[in-house]
mmCIF file of all heavy atoms in Angstrom:
data_model
loop_
_atom_site.group_PDB
_atom_site.id
_atom_site.type_symbol
_atom_site.label_atom_id
_atom_site.label_comp_id
_atom_site.label_asym_id
_atom_site.label_seq_id
_atom_site.Cartn_x
_atom_site.Cartn_y
_atom_site.Cartn_z
ATOM 1 N N ALA A 99 99.028 76.967 91.055
ATOM 2 C CA ALA A 99 99.450 75.977 90.063
ATOM 3 C C ALA A 99 99.308 74.559 90.626
ATOM 4 O O ALA A 99 98.907 73.627 89.908
ATOM 5 C CB ALA A 99 100.888 76.239 89.644
ATOM 6 N N ASP A 100 99.622 74.389 91.915
ATOM 7 C CA ASP A 100 99.483 73.070 92.546
ATOM 8 C C ASP A 100 98.025 72.617 92.553
ATOM 9 O O ASP A 100 97.723 71.444 92.293
ATOM 10 C CB ASP A 100 100.000 73.117 93.984
ATOM 11 C CG ASP A 100 101.522 73.148 94.049
ATOM 12 O OD1 ASP A 100 102.169 72.848 93.023
ATOM 13 O OD2 ASP A 100 102.054 73.473 95.126
ATOM 14 N N LEU A 101 97.124 73.532 92.866
ATOM 15 C CA LEU A 101 95.698 73.190 92.885
ATOM 16 C C LEU A 101 95.215 72.794 91.496
ATOM 17 O O LEU A 101 94.447 71.837 91.343
ATOM 18 C CB LEU A 101 94.875 74.359 93.428
ATOM 19 C CG LEU A 101 94.849 74.513 94.952
ATOM 20 C CD1 LEU A 101 94.285 75.871 95.334
ATOM 21 C CD2 LEU A 101 94.018 73.400 95.582
ATOM 22 N N GLU A 102 95.651 73.539 90.490
ATOM 23 C CA GLU A 102 95.274 73.195 89.121
ATOM 24 C C GLU A 102 95.812 71.820 88.744
ATOM 25 O O GLU A 102 95.103 71.001 88.131
ATOM 26 C CB GLU A 102 95.801 74.256 88.152
ATOM 27 C CG GLU A 102 95.094 75.605 88.287
ATOM 28 C CD GLU A 102 95.756 76.698 87.482
ATOM 29 O OE1 GLU A 102 96.940 76.519 87.119
ATOM 30 O OE2 GLU A 102 95.104 77.732 87.217
ATOM 31 N N ALA A 103 97.065 71.532 89.133
ATOM 32 C CA ALA A 103 97.653 70.216 88.850
ATOM 33 C C ALA A 103 96.908 69.115 89.594
ATOM 34 O O ALA A 103 96.703 68.014 89.066
ATOM 35 C CB ALA A 103 99.132 70.214 89.248
ATOM 36 N N LEU A 104 96.489 69.414 90.828
ATOM 37 C CA LEU A 104 95.769 68.433 91.635
ATOM 38 C C LEU A 104 94.417 68.092 91.003
ATOM 39 O O LEU A 104 94.029 66.918 90.922
ATOM 40 C CB LEU A 104 95.576 68.990 93.045
ATOM 41 C CG LEU A 104 95.073 68.040 94.128
ATOM 42 C CD1 LEU A 104 95.997 66.841 94.259
ATOM 43 C CD2 LEU A 104 94.958 68.780 95.454
ATOM 44 N N ILE A 105 93.712 69.102 90.529
ATOM 45 C CA ILE A 105 92.421 68.873 89.884
ATOM 46 C C ILE A 105 92.607 68.071 88.598
ATOM 47 O O ILE A 105 91.877 67.112 88.328
ATOM 48 C CB ILE A 105 91.712 70.216 89.624
ATOM 49 C CG1 ILE A 105 91.274 70.846 90.952
ATOM 50 C CG2 ILE A 105 90.507 70.023 88.706
ATOM 51 C CD1 ILE A 105 90.784 72.266 90.831
ATOM 52 N N ASN A 106 93.606 68.445 87.805
ATOM 53 C CA ASN A 106 93.861 67.726 86.547
ATOM 54 C C ASN A 106 94.284 66.280 86.806
ATOM 55 O O ASN A 106 93.852 65.359 86.110
ATOM 56 C CB ASN A 106 94.948 68.444 85.745
ATOM 57 C CG ASN A 106 94.493 69.804 85.234
ATOM 58 O OD1 ASN A 106 93.294 70.027 85.047
ATOM 59 N ND2 ASN A 106 95.429 70.700 85.032
ATOM 60 N N ALA A 107 95.139 66.078 87.819
ATOM 61 C CA ALA A 107 95.623 64.727 88.108
ATOM 62 C C ALA A 107 94.510 63.836 88.639
ATOM 63 O O ALA A 107 94.452 62.643 88.320
ATOM 64 C CB ALA A 107 96.769 64.794 89.113
ATOM 65 N N SER A 108 93.627 64.406 89.429
ATOM 66 C CA SER A 108 92.536 63.591 89.958
ATOM 67 C C SER A 108 91.574 63.189 88.844
ATOM 68 O O SER A 108 90.936 62.142 88.915
ATOM 69 C CB SER A 108 91.791 64.356 91.054
ATOM 70 O OG SER A 108 91.218 65.550 90.535
ATOM 71 N N ASN A 109 91.503 64.006 87.801
ATOM 72 C CA ASN A 109 90.666 63.644 86.646
ATOM 73 C C ASN A 109 91.313 62.532 85.823
ATOM 74 O O ASN A 109 90.621 61.656 85.306
ATOM 75 C CB ASN A 109 90.435 64.867 85.752
ATOM 76 C CG ASN A 109 89.518 65.883 86.413
ATOM 77 O OD1 ASN A 109 88.670 65.526 87.225
ATOM 78 N ND2 ASN A 109 89.690 67.154 86.079
ATOM 79 N N SER A 110 92.665 62.565 85.718
ATOM 80 C CA SER A 110 93.360 61.562 84.905
ATOM 81 C C SER A 110 93.768 60.334 85.702
ATOM 82 O O SER A 110 94.053 59.274 85.133
ATOM 83 C CB SER A 110 94.609 62.184 84.270
ATOM 84 O OG SER A 110 95.558 62.522 85.281
ATOM 85 N N GLY A 111 93.826 60.471 87.030
ATOM 86 C CA GLY A 111 94.262 59.367 87.871
ATOM 87 C C GLY A 111 95.764 59.197 87.906
ATOM 88 O O GLY A 111 96.270 58.224 88.464
ATOM 89 N N LEU A 112 96.527 60.146 87.340
ATOM 90 C CA LEU A 112 97.987 60.051 87.296
ATOM 91 C C LEU A 112 98.600 61.310 87.899
ATOM 92 O O LEU A 112 98.134 62.425 87.644
ATOM 93 C CB LEU A 112 98.470 59.894 85.852
ATOM 94 C CG LEU A 112 98.019 58.632 85.106
ATOM 95 C CD1 LEU A 112 98.430 58.725 83.643
ATOM 96 C CD2 LEU A 112 98.623 57.387 85.752
ATOM 97 N N TRP A 113 99.643 61.112 88.693
ATOM 98 C CA TRP A 113 100.347 62.254 89.258
ATOM 99 C C TRP A 113 101.690 62.392 88.549
ATOM 100 O O TRP A 113 102.432 61.415 88.424
ATOM 101 C CB TRP A 113 100.569 62.062 90.755
ATOM 102 C CG TRP A 113 101.182 63.275 91.390
ATOM 103 C CD1 TRP A 113 102.465 63.433 91.812
ATOM 104 C CD2 TRP A 113 100.532 64.526 91.642
ATOM 105 N NE1 TRP A 113 102.663 64.699 92.302
ATOM 106 C CE2 TRP A 113 101.491 65.394 92.221
ATOM 107 C CE3 TRP A 113 99.234 65.007 91.430
ATOM 108 C CZ2 TRP A 113 101.191 66.696 92.590
ATOM 109 C CZ3 TRP A 113 98.936 66.300 91.799
ATOM 110 C CH2 TRP A 113 99.906 67.141 92.374
ATOM 111 N N PRO A 114 102.039 63.588 88.038
ATOM 112 C CA PRO A 114 103.292 63.741 87.279
ATOM 113 C C PRO A 114 104.516 63.412 88.128
ATOM 114 O O PRO A 114 104.603 63.812 89.288
ATOM 115 C CB PRO A 114 103.268 65.226 86.881
ATOM 116 C CG PRO A 114 102.312 65.879 87.822
ATOM 117 C CD PRO A 114 101.292 64.847 88.171
ATOM 118 N N VAL A 115 105.443 62.694 87.539
ATOM 119 C CA VAL A 115 106.633 62.264 88.278
ATOM 120 C C VAL A 115 107.711 63.346 88.301
ATOM 121 O O VAL A 115 108.647 63.253 89.085
ATOM 122 C CB VAL A 115 107.219 60.970 87.652
ATOM 123 C CG1 VAL A 115 106.230 59.841 87.750
ATOM 124 C CG2 VAL A 115 107.634 61.212 86.197
ATOM 125 N N ASP A 116 107.607 64.364 87.436
ATOM 126 C CA ASP A 116 108.668 65.361 87.338
ATOM 127 C C ASP A 116 108.428 66.586 88.209
ATOM 128 O O ASP A 116 109.186 67.546 88.153
ATOM 129 C CB ASP A 116 108.852 65.806 85.881
ATOM 130 C CG ASP A 116 107.561 66.356 85.282
ATOM 131 O OD1 ASP A 116 106.496 66.172 85.925
ATOM 132 O OD2 ASP A 116 107.615 66.956 84.206
ATOM 133 N N GLY A 117 107.377 66.569 89.014
ATOM 134 C CA GLY A 117 107.075 67.696 89.889
ATOM 135 C C GLY A 117 107.154 67.291 91.343
ATOM 136 O O GLY A 117 107.655 66.214 91.675
ATOM 137 N N PRO A 118 106.668 68.149 92.234
ATOM 138 C CA PRO A 118 106.654 67.787 93.652
ATOM 139 C C PRO A 118 105.709 66.619 93.896
ATOM 140 O O PRO A 118 104.775 66.381 93.131
ATOM 141 C CB PRO A 118 106.144 69.060 94.333
ATOM 142 C CG PRO A 118 105.380 69.782 93.265
ATOM 143 C CD PRO A 118 106.075 69.468 91.986
ATOM 144 N N SER A 119 105.967 65.883 94.954
ATOM 145 C CA SER A 119 105.103 64.742 95.265
ATOM 146 C C SER A 119 103.719 65.222 95.664
ATOM 147 O O SER A 119 103.527 66.378 96.048
ATOM 148 C CB SER A 119 105.706 63.920 96.403
ATOM 149 O OG SER A 119 105.638 64.655 97.620
ATOM 150 N N LEU A 120 102.765 64.322 95.560
ATOM 151 C CA LEU A 120 101.392 64.648 95.965
ATOM 152 C C LEU A 120 101.370 65.055 97.432
ATOM 153 O O LEU A 120 100.653 65.986 97.819
ATOM 154 C CB LEU A 120 100.489 63.440 95.721
ATOM 155 C CG LEU A 120 99.011 63.597 96.109
ATOM 156 C CD1 LEU A 120 98.373 64.748 95.349
ATOM 157 C CD2 LEU A 120 98.255 62.294 95.837
ATOM 158 N N ALA A 121 102.162 64.361 98.243
ATOM 159 C CA ALA A 121 102.215 64.697 99.673
ATOM 160 C C ALA A 121 102.710 66.126 99.879
ATOM 161 O O ALA A 121 102.167 66.868 100.706
ATOM 162 C CB ALA A 121 103.135 63.718 100.399
ATOM 163 N N ALA A 122 103.742 66.519 99.115
ATOM 164 C CA ALA A 122 104.283 67.879 99.255
ATOM 165 C C ALA A 122 103.243 68.922 98.881
ATOM 166 O O ALA A 122 103.116 69.956 99.538
ATOM 167 C CB ALA A 122 105.525 68.029 98.374
ATOM 168 N N VAL A 123 102.479 68.643 97.830
ATOM 169 C CA VAL A 123 101.445 69.590 97.403
ATOM 170 C C VAL A 123 100.360 69.703 98.466
ATOM 171 O O VAL A 123 99.936 70.805 98.835
ATOM 172 C CB VAL A 123 100.836 69.141 96.056
ATOM 173 C CG1 VAL A 123 99.583 69.940 95.737
ATOM 174 C CG2 VAL A 123 101.859 69.312 94.943
ATOM 175 N N ALA A 208 104.423 58.304 99.027
ATOM 176 C CA ALA A 208 104.341 59.550 98.264
ATOM 177 C C ALA A 208 104.813 59.399 96.830
ATOM 178 O O ALA A 208 104.675 60.323 96.036
ATOM 179 C CB ALA A 208 105.156 60.633 98.953
ATOM 180 N N GLU A 209 105.383 58.257 96.453
ATOM 181 C CA GLU A 209 105.844 58.076 95.084
ATOM 182 C C GLU A 209 104.675 58.202 94.113
ATOM 183 O O GLU A 209 103.549 57.823 94.412
ATOM 184 C CB GLU A 209 106.524 56.715 94.946
ATOM 185 C CG GLU A 209 107.828 56.625 95.738
ATOM 186 C CD GLU A 209 108.441 55.239 95.674
ATOM 187 O OE1 GLU A 209 107.850 54.363 95.018
ATOM 188 O OE2 GLU A 209 109.510 55.039 96.279
ATOM 189 N N SER A 210 104.964 58.737 92.920
ATOM 190 C CA SER A 210 103.898 59.114 91.995
ATOM 191 C C SER A 210 103.028 57.944 91.563
ATOM 192 O O SER A 210 101.850 58.130 91.228
ATOM 193 C CB SER A 210 104.499 59.802 90.768
ATOM 194 O OG SER A 210 105.357 58.912 90.085
ATOM 195 N N ASP A 211 103.580 56.708 91.530
ATOM 196 C CA ASP A 211 102.793 55.573 91.058
ATOM 197 C C ASP A 211 102.468 54.589 92.177
ATOM 198 O O ASP A 211 102.099 53.438 91.922
ATOM 199 C CB ASP A 211 103.533 54.841 89.938
ATOM 200 C CG ASP A 211 104.894 54.318 90.403
ATOM 201 O OD1 ASP A 211 105.346 54.742 91.506
ATOM 202 O OD2 ASP A 211 105.494 53.510 89.675
ATOM 203 N N SER A 212 102.601 55.038 93.437
ATOM 204 C CA SER A 212 102.314 54.130 94.541
ATOM 205 C C SER A 212 100.814 53.905 94.670
ATOM 206 O O SER A 212 100.002 54.740 94.239
ATOM 207 C CB SER A 212 102.853 54.699 95.854
ATOM 208 O OG SER A 212 102.075 55.826 96.250
ATOM 209 N N THR A 215 99.171 56.818 96.384
ATOM 210 C CA THR A 215 98.968 57.997 95.536
ATOM 211 C C THR A 215 97.781 57.793 94.608
ATOM 212 O O THR A 215 96.924 58.676 94.478
ATOM 213 C CB THR A 215 100.231 58.287 94.702
ATOM 214 O OG1 THR A 215 101.295 58.662 95.582
ATOM 215 C CG2 THR A 215 99.991 59.425 93.727
ATOM 216 N N ARG A 216 97.693 56.629 93.973
ATOM 217 C CA ARG A 216 96.576 56.364 93.058
ATOM 218 C C ARG A 216 95.253 56.355 93.800
ATOM 219 O O ARG A 216 94.244 56.896 93.328
ATOM 220 C CB ARG A 216 96.808 55.040 92.331
ATOM 221 C CG ARG A 216 97.972 55.072 91.346
ATOM 222 C CD ARG A 216 97.926 53.885 90.385
ATOM 223 N NE ARG A 216 98.023 52.611 91.083
ATOM 224 C CZ ARG A 216 99.172 51.996 91.370
ATOM 225 N NH1 ARG A 216 100.328 52.554 91.019
ATOM 226 N NH2 ARG A 216 99.181 50.824 92.004
ATOM 227 N N LEU A 219 94.285 59.882 94.786
ATOM 228 C CA LEU A 219 93.804 60.626 93.621
ATOM 229 C C LEU A 219 92.375 60.246 93.291
ATOM 230 O O LEU A 219 91.574 61.099 92.892
ATOM 231 C CB LEU A 219 94.717 60.375 92.420
ATOM 232 C CG LEU A 219 96.060 61.101 92.431
ATOM 233 C CD1 LEU A 219 96.924 60.643 91.257
ATOM 234 C CD2 LEU A 219 95.868 62.608 92.378
#
Side-chain angles (χ1 to χ4, degrees):
D100 285 345
L101 280 167
E102 291 171 341
L104 191 57
I105 291 170
N106 292 334
S108 61
N109 290 332
S110 66
L112 297 173
W113 185 254
V115 297
D116 57 348
S119 69
L120 179 59
V123 169
E209 293 176 0
S210 62
D211 60 347
S212 71
T215 294
R216 292 196 299 271
L219 284 174

